[in-house]
Amino acid sequence: MLYRHIFKLPLKYREVIFLYYYEELTLQEISDTLNANLSTIKSRLTKARLLLKDAIKGGK
């Protein structure tokens, strides 16, 4: 069920979730990999967690 919700996320959120939780990269490593600011990666991870939480609760 969790995988299904993850793969429904927009790509910019899905890739951060995947790299952080499944590849176990640090936020700095993700920032370097995606060539994005560290603050952007932090924001995306926070938003992705909220979207997943809402999806699992049945919000969307």
Side-chain angles (χ1 to χ4, degrees), residues 2-53:
L2 182 59
Y3 288 117
R4 188 173 18 154
H5 290 299
I6 291 172
F7 284 105
K8 288 182 181 179
L9 291 174
L11 179 61
K12 67 182 182 180
Y13 301 122
R14 184 173 57 229
E15 65 189 359
V16 173
I17 289 285
F18 180 79
L19 292 171
Y20 188 75
Y21 288 106
Y22 295 99
E23 295 296 324
E24 298 181 351
L25 297 181
T26 65
L27 293 175
Q28 185 61 55
E29 290 171 330
I30 295 169
S31 174
D32 295 341
T33 301
L34 298 179
N35 197 27
N37 290 330
L38 182 59
S39 60
T40 300
I41 299 303
K42 288 178 183 179
S43 296
R44 287 181 185 175
L45 184 58
T46 299
K47 177 71 173 183
R49 288 174 177 155
L50 289 172
L51 289 171
L52 281 174
K53 182 179 176 181

